[in-house]
PDB file of all heavy atoms in Angstrom:
ATOM      1  N   LEU A 216      99.634 104.691  80.143  1.00 94.00           N
ATOM      2  CA  LEU A 216      98.566 105.593  80.401  1.00 94.00           C
ATOM      3  C   LEU A 216      97.225 105.061  80.247  1.00 94.00           C
ATOM      4  O   LEU A 216      96.301 105.232  80.987  1.00 94.00           O
ATOM      5  CB  LEU A 216      98.758 106.967  79.713  1.00 94.00           C
ATOM      6  CG  LEU A 216      97.745 108.032  80.100  1.00 94.00           C
ATOM      7  CD1 LEU A 216      97.905 108.397  81.587  1.00 94.00           C
ATOM      8  CD2 LEU A 216      98.008 109.225  79.270  1.00 94.00           C
ATOM      9  N   GLU A 217      97.044 104.335  79.174  1.00 95.00           N
ATOM     10  CA  GLU A 217      95.694 103.657  78.724  1.00 95.00           C
ATOM     11  C   GLU A 217      95.398 102.712  79.806  1.00 95.00           C
ATOM     12  O   GLU A 217      94.243 102.661  80.319  1.00 95.00           O
ATOM     13  CB  GLU A 217      95.877 102.931  77.453  1.00 95.00           C
ATOM     14  CG  GLU A 217      94.545 102.178  77.026  1.00 95.00           C
ATOM     15  CD  GLU A 217      94.784 101.477  75.724  1.00 95.00           C
ATOM     16  OE1 GLU A 217      95.438 101.985  74.855  1.00 95.00           O
ATOM     17  OE2 GLU A 217      94.220 100.346  75.528  1.00 95.00           O
ATOM     18  N   TRP A 218      96.361 101.843  80.297  1.00 96.00           N
ATOM     19  CA  TRP A 218      96.115 100.906  81.385  1.00 96.00           C
ATOM     20  C   TRP A 218      95.794 101.643  82.687  1.00 96.00           C
ATOM     21  O   TRP A 218      94.853 101.251  83.441  1.00 96.00           O
ATOM     22  CB  TRP A 218      97.279  99.987  81.577  1.00 96.00           C
ATOM     23  CG  TRP A 218      97.119  99.154  82.821  1.00 96.00           C
ATOM     24  CD1 TRP A 218      96.479  97.888  82.836  1.00 96.00           C
ATOM     25  CD2 TRP A 218      97.564  99.380  84.145  1.00 96.00           C
ATOM     26  NE1 TRP A 218      96.515  97.415  84.139  1.00 96.00           N
ATOM     27  CE2 TRP A 218      97.225  98.304  84.950  1.00 96.00           C
ATOM     28  CE3 TRP A 218      98.359 100.492  84.712  1.00 96.00           C
ATOM     29  CZ2 TRP A 218      97.448  98.272  86.362  1.00 96.00           C
ATOM     30  CZ3 TRP A 218      98.625 100.446  85.973  1.00 96.00           C
ATOM     31  CH2 TRP A 218      98.233  99.398  86.830  1.00 96.00           C
ATOM     32  N   ALA A 219      96.529 102.644  83.042  1.00 96.00           N
ATOM     33  CA  ALA A 219      96.484 103.366  84.380  1.00 96.00           C
ATOM     34  C   ALA A 219      95.187 104.065  84.530  1.00 96.00           C
ATOM     35  O   ALA A 219      94.696 104.405  85.570  1.00 96.00           O
ATOM     36  CB  ALA A 219      97.607 104.324  84.491  1.00 96.00           C
ATOM     37  N   ARG A 220      94.494 104.346  83.398  1.00 97.00           N
ATOM     38  CA  ARG A 220      93.173 104.956  83.448  1.00 97.00           C
ATOM     39  C   ARG A 220      91.978 103.951  83.253  1.00 97.00           C
ATOM     40  O   ARG A 220      90.791 104.359  83.408  1.00 97.00           O
ATOM     41  CB  ARG A 220      92.997 106.130  82.372  1.00 97.00           C
ATOM     42  CG  ARG A 220      93.964 107.294  82.770  1.00 97.00           C
ATOM     43  CD  ARG A 220      93.835 108.412  81.816  1.00 97.00           C
ATOM     44  NE  ARG A 220      94.582 109.566  82.170  1.00 97.00           N
ATOM     45  CZ  ARG A 220      94.707 110.680  81.529  1.00 97.00           C
ATOM     46  NH1 ARG A 220      94.198 110.809  80.302  1.00 97.00           N
ATOM     47  NH2 ARG A 220      95.471 111.697  81.973  1.00 97.00           N
ATOM     48  N   ASN A 221      92.350 102.660  83.121  1.00 97.00           N
ATOM     49  CA  ASN A 221      91.291 101.635  83.096  1.00 97.00           C
ATOM     50  C   ASN A 221      91.944 100.303  83.515  1.00 97.00           C
ATOM     51  O   ASN A 221      92.085  99.393  82.780  1.00 97.00           O
ATOM     52  CB  ASN A 221      90.716 101.554  81.634  1.00 97.00           C
ATOM     53  CG  ASN A 221      89.578 100.599  81.625  1.00 97.00           C
ATOM     54  OD1 ASN A 221      88.980 100.255  82.711  1.00 97.00           O
ATOM     55  ND2 ASN A 221      89.347 100.231  80.380  1.00 97.00           N
ATOM     56  N   PRO A 222      92.485 100.299  84.756  1.00 97.00           N
ATOM     57  CA  PRO A 222      93.111  99.042  85.253  1.00 97.00           C
ATOM     58  C   PRO A 222      92.071  97.907  85.391  1.00 97.00           C
ATOM     59  O   PRO A 222      91.018  98.131  85.782  1.00 97.00           O
ATOM     60  CB  PRO A 222      93.693  99.473  86.529  1.00 97.00           C
ATOM     61  CG  PRO A 222      92.815 100.540  87.058  1.00 97.00           C
ATOM     62  CD  PRO A 222      92.409 101.342  85.903  1.00 97.00           C
ATOM     63  N   ILE A 223      92.513  96.758  85.044  1.00 98.00           N
ATOM     64  CA  ILE A 223      91.745  95.484  85.133  1.00 98.00           C
ATOM     65  C   ILE A 223      91.973  94.872  86.522  1.00 98.00           C
ATOM     66  O   ILE A 223      93.163  94.372  86.764  1.00 98.00           O
ATOM     67  CB  ILE A 223      91.949  94.537  84.023  1.00 98.00           C
ATOM     68  CG1 ILE A 223      91.803  95.234  82.676  1.00 98.00           C
ATOM     69  CG2 ILE A 223      91.057  93.379  84.177  1.00 98.00           C
ATOM     70  CD1 ILE A 223      90.538  95.814  82.407  1.00 98.00           C
ATOM     71  N   THR A 224      91.021  94.987  87.431  1.00 98.00           N
ATOM     72  CA  THR A 224      91.259  94.444  88.776  1.00 98.00           C
ATOM     73  C   THR A 224      90.109  93.530  89.189  1.00 98.00           C
ATOM     74  O   THR A 224      89.430  93.067  88.296  1.00 98.00           O
ATOM     75  CB  THR A 224      91.332  95.724  89.729  1.00 98.00           C
ATOM     76  OG1 THR A 224      90.015  96.344  89.718  1.00 98.00           O
ATOM     77  CG2 THR A 224      92.355  96.700  89.321  1.00 98.00           C
ATOM     78  N   THR A 225      89.951  93.224  90.482  1.00 98.00           N
ATOM     79  CA  THR A 225      88.991  92.183  90.952  1.00 98.00           C
ATOM     80  C   THR A 225      87.900  92.778  91.725  1.00 98.00           C
ATOM     81  O   THR A 225      87.049  92.107  92.278  1.00 98.00           O
ATOM     82  CB  THR A 225      89.753  91.209  91.810  1.00 98.00           C
ATOM     83  OG1 THR A 225      90.290  91.869  93.049  1.00 98.00           O
ATOM     84  CG2 THR A 225      90.814  90.539  91.089  1.00 98.00           C
ATOM     85  N   GLY A 226      87.912  94.127  91.926  1.00 98.00           N
ATOM     86  CA  GLY A 226      86.937  94.772  92.951  1.00 98.00           C
ATOM     87  C   GLY A 226      85.484  94.670  92.498  1.00 98.00           C
ATOM     88  O   GLY A 226      85.220  94.256  91.304  1.00 98.00           O
ATOM     89  N   PRO A 227      84.590  95.012  93.370  1.00 98.00           N
ATOM     90  CA  PRO A 227      83.221  94.877  93.128  1.00 98.00           C
ATOM     91  C   PRO A 227      82.620  95.880  91.993  1.00 98.00           C
ATOM     92  O   PRO A 227      81.519  95.598  91.491  1.00 98.00           O
ATOM     93  CB  PRO A 227      82.544  95.186  94.381  1.00 98.00           C
ATOM     94  CG  PRO A 227      83.475  95.966  95.167  1.00 98.00           C
ATOM     95  CD  PRO A 227      84.809  95.510  94.714  1.00 98.00           C
ATOM     96  N   TYR A 228      83.453  96.778  91.562  1.00 98.00           N
ATOM     97  CA  TYR A 228      83.048  97.804  90.502  1.00 98.00           C
ATOM     98  C   TYR A 228      84.273  97.864  89.501  1.00 98.00           C
ATOM     99  O   TYR A 228      85.410  97.769  89.963  1.00 98.00           O
ATOM    100  CB  TYR A 228      82.647  99.101  91.101  1.00 98.00           C
ATOM    101  CG  TYR A 228      81.506  99.023  92.042  1.00 98.00           C
ATOM    102  CD1 TYR A 228      81.825  98.867  93.401  1.00 98.00           C
ATOM    103  CD2 TYR A 228      80.260  98.970  91.577  1.00 98.00           C
ATOM    104  CE1 TYR A 228      80.722  98.695  94.279  1.00 98.00           C
ATOM    105  CE2 TYR A 228      79.133  98.888  92.507  1.00 98.00           C
ATOM    106  CZ  TYR A 228      79.326  98.791  93.872  1.00 98.00           C
ATOM    107  OH  TYR A 228      78.248  98.604  94.705  1.00 98.00           O
ATOM    108  N   ARG A 229      83.910  98.077  88.255  1.00 98.00           N
ATOM    109  CA  ARG A 229      84.993  98.110  87.186  1.00 98.00           C
ATOM    110  C   ARG A 229      84.775  99.643  86.584  1.00 98.00           C
ATOM    111  O   ARG A 229      83.765 100.220  86.666  1.00 98.00           O
ATOM    112  CB  ARG A 229      84.754  97.103  86.204  1.00 98.00           C
ATOM    113  CG  ARG A 229      83.454  97.215  85.576  1.00 98.00           C
ATOM    114  CD  ARG A 229      83.233  96.156  84.417  1.00 98.00           C
ATOM    115  NE  ARG A 229      81.867  96.223  83.831  1.00 98.00           N
ATOM    116  CZ  ARG A 229      81.604  97.099  82.826  1.00 98.00           C
ATOM    117  NH1 ARG A 229      82.406  97.940  82.404  1.00 98.00           N
ATOM    118  NH2 ARG A 229      80.280  97.135  82.284  1.00 98.00           N
ATOM    119  N   VAL A 230      85.880 100.007  86.020  1.00 98.00           N
ATOM    120  CA  VAL A 230      85.936 101.289  85.357  1.00 98.00           C
ATOM    121  C   VAL A 230      85.023 101.243  84.004  1.00 98.00           C
ATOM    122  O   VAL A 230      85.258 100.479  83.172  1.00 98.00           O
ATOM    123  CB  VAL A 230      87.292 101.752  84.943  1.00 98.00           C
ATOM    124  CG1 VAL A 230      87.322 103.135  84.216  1.00 98.00           C
ATOM    125  CG2 VAL A 230      88.209 101.747  86.247  1.00 98.00           C
ATOM    126  N   ALA A 231      84.077 102.130  84.008  1.00 98.00           N
ATOM    127  CA  ALA A 231      83.213 102.373  82.771  1.00 98.00           C
ATOM    128  C   ALA A 231      83.680 103.498  82.027  1.00 98.00           C
ATOM    129  O   ALA A 231      83.637 103.502  80.775  1.00 98.00           O
ATOM    130  CB  ALA A 231      81.682 102.419  83.238  1.00 98.00           C
ATOM    131  N   ALA A 232      83.989 104.699  82.719  1.00 98.00           N
ATOM    132  CA  ALA A 232      84.439 105.756  82.020  1.00 98.00           C
ATOM    133  C   ALA A 232      85.220 106.657  83.057  1.00 98.00           C
ATOM    134  O   ALA A 232      84.947 106.766  84.209  1.00 98.00           O
ATOM    135  CB  ALA A 232      83.322 106.645  81.398  1.00 98.00           C
ATOM    136  N   TYR A 233      86.407 107.261  82.549  1.00 98.00           N
ATOM    137  CA  TYR A 233      87.063 108.175  83.338  1.00 98.00           C
ATOM    138  C   TYR A 233      87.560 109.331  82.530  1.00 98.00           C
ATOM    139  O   TYR A 233      88.220 109.203  81.555  1.00 98.00           O
ATOM    140  CB  TYR A 233      88.399 107.480  83.924  1.00 98.00           C
ATOM    141  CG  TYR A 233      89.267 108.319  84.750  1.00 98.00           C
ATOM    142  CD1 TYR A 233      88.749 109.342  85.651  1.00 98.00           C
ATOM    143  CD2 TYR A 233      90.697 108.154  84.756  1.00 98.00           C
ATOM    144  CE1 TYR A 233      89.611 110.137  86.386  1.00 98.00           C
ATOM    145  CE2 TYR A 233      91.463 108.925  85.442  1.00 98.00           C
ATOM    146  CZ  TYR A 233      90.940 109.892  86.354  1.00 98.00           C
ATOM    147  OH  TYR A 233      91.841 110.690  87.035  1.00 98.00           O
TER     148      TYR A 233
END
Side-chain angles (χ1 to χ4, degrees):
L216 186 60
E217 179 183 322
W218 172 84
R220 290 183 173 175
N221 187 15
I223 305 301
T224 65
T225 62
Y228 300 93
R229 60 178 180 81
V230 178
Y233 177 38

